[in-house]
Amino acid sequence: FLSSFFPCFICAQTNLVPNPSFEMYSLCPGNGGEVFKASPWDCYRNSPDYFNSCATTWAFQTPKNYFGYQKAAQGNSYCGFIAYFNGGFDREIIGVQLTNSLVISQKYYISFKINRADSNFLTGYSVNKIGIRMATIKPSSVTINNSAQFFTNNIISDTLNWTKIFGSFVADSAYKHLMVGNFFDDGNTTIVNDGNGPYSYYFIDDVCLSTDSVFSQNYNTGIKENIN
C-alpha cells in the first residue's frame, strides 16, 4: 500500500513552475528588462525586471532598488512588472515554460506573492486584475484582450507586506506556458491613485502551480495576508 500511495502523494505536491522564487540565475541583473537572467523565466511582453541582491547596480538590487524598498519573500530575489501607466497604455508580462504540460480537465491551483512598489516618484497607482494566463506555445507578444485563466478582483495596494494571491482553474488545453501580469485594458481595470508616480508597479515572488490545493495555498508561507 505504501509503495503505491507514496509516489502519488509526492506527485500531487509538485510545483510545476521552475525556479518559482527566482533564486537561480545565470547572471546578476545590471539593467532593466532582464527577467531572462532568472532562467527559464523570460519577458513575454515588453521589459519586466529582475531584482537580486547581487545586482551590479543599486537600481536592481534587493531590498532597496529603483522602484522602492522590499525584502524578498524568501531568499534574495524577485521580479517586477508594470500593471498600469498613467500616460499611455503599458503592460509588462513575465512568463515561464512549465516542467510538464497541463492535463485537460484537471483542476489546478495557483498562488503567488505580490507587493506594490513604493517609489515616491515612480509608483502612484494600485490596480486589480493581476492574474495568470496559460498558453500552449510561447507567444511572440502577449495580447491584452481582457481574458485570463485566473485573476483577482481585489485591488493590491499594500506596499509593506507581501500579499498572497490564491485561486484555481480547470485546464481546457494541454498548456505548457504560464504568464503573470495584468491582462486587462484600462477600461476593465479598477485603478486607484494613491501616490505621486505615474506607474502601477508590482514585485512578484514564490509562484506555485499545483494539483494540490493545500500545497499551493501554503507554498513558502510566512506572509500576513491571504486573498482568495
Side-chain angles (χ1 to χ4, degrees):
F1 173 79
L2 288 177
S3 64
S4 61
F5 171 78
F6 188 70
C8 294
F9 177 75
I10 295 298
C11 179
Q13 290 193 330
T14 298
N15 186 359
L16 296 174
V17 179
N19 198 10
S21 302
F22 313 103
E23 294 299 311
M24 296 184 295
Y25 56 93
S26 57
L27 292 169
C28 293
N31 210 333
E34 294 187 338
V35 170
F36 59 87
K37 289 186 175 179
S39 181
W41 288 91
D42 206 352
C43 304
Y44 276 47
R45 178 184 170 94
N46 293 344
S47 54
D49 306 305
Y50 179 46
F51 301 86
N52 192 308
S53 60
C54 74
T56 57
T57 172
W58 73 271
F60 299 97
Q61 289 180 347
T62 61
K64 183 176 176 60
N65 54 62
Y66 190 60
F67 291 91
Y69 181 96
Q70 181 60 43
K71 293 181 179 179
Q74 69 154 350
N76 302 295
S77 307
Y78 47 75
C79 287
F81 59 88
I82 294 171
Y84 167 77
F85 174 48
N86 180 25
F89 185 78
D90 197 2
R91 299 288 188 272
E92 291 182 335
I93 305 296
I94 67 170
V96 69
Q97 182 172 320
L98 302 173
T99 56
N100 289 297
S101 299
L102 302 193
V103 177
I104 296 175
S105 298
Q106 171 70 54
K107 189 172 186 177
Y108 290 88
Y109 298 88
I110 179 73
S111 70
F112 53 89
K113 296 167 189 171
I114 199 164
N115 173 266
R116 209 215 79 181
D118 61 357
S119 167
N120 285 330
F121 66 95
L122 280 176
T123 56
Y125 291 87
S126 298
V127 301
N128 65 351
K129 297 298 178 71
I130 305 298
I132 66 154
R133 184 188 291 177
M134 308 302 299
T136 54
I137 60 174
K138 181 180 178 180
S140 57
S141 181
V142 176
T143 302
I144 304 303
N145 60 1
N146 303 316
S147 67
Q149 268 69 26
F150 167 78
F151 60 89
T152 176
N153 276 315
N154 297 75
I155 296 170
I156 309 302
S157 58
D158 196 337
T159 61
L160 180 62
N161 303 303
W162 288 97
T163 298
K164 172 169 276 190
I165 307 298
F166 173 74
S168 64
F169 66 95
V170 176
D172 56 6
S173 296
Y175 295 118
K176 187 67 174 177
H177 294 262
L178 177 145
M179 298 165 282
V180 185
N182 178 10
F183 300 93
F184 293 78
D185 61 27
D186 294 352
N188 288 279
T189 299
T190 302
I191 303 161
V192 176
N193 184 191
D194 51 8
N196 300 317
Y199 292 98
S200 179
Y201 190 92
Y202 289 91
F203 299 130
I204 183 170
D205 207 353
D206 290 350
V207 185
C208 180
L209 181 67
S210 174
T211 57
D212 188 317
S213 62
V214 176
F215 175 75
S216 180
Q217 188 169 19
N218 295 291
Y219 185 74
N220 288 337
T221 56
I223 61 168
K224 297 182 179 180
E225 187 176 359
N226 184 0
I227 291 180
N228 291 311

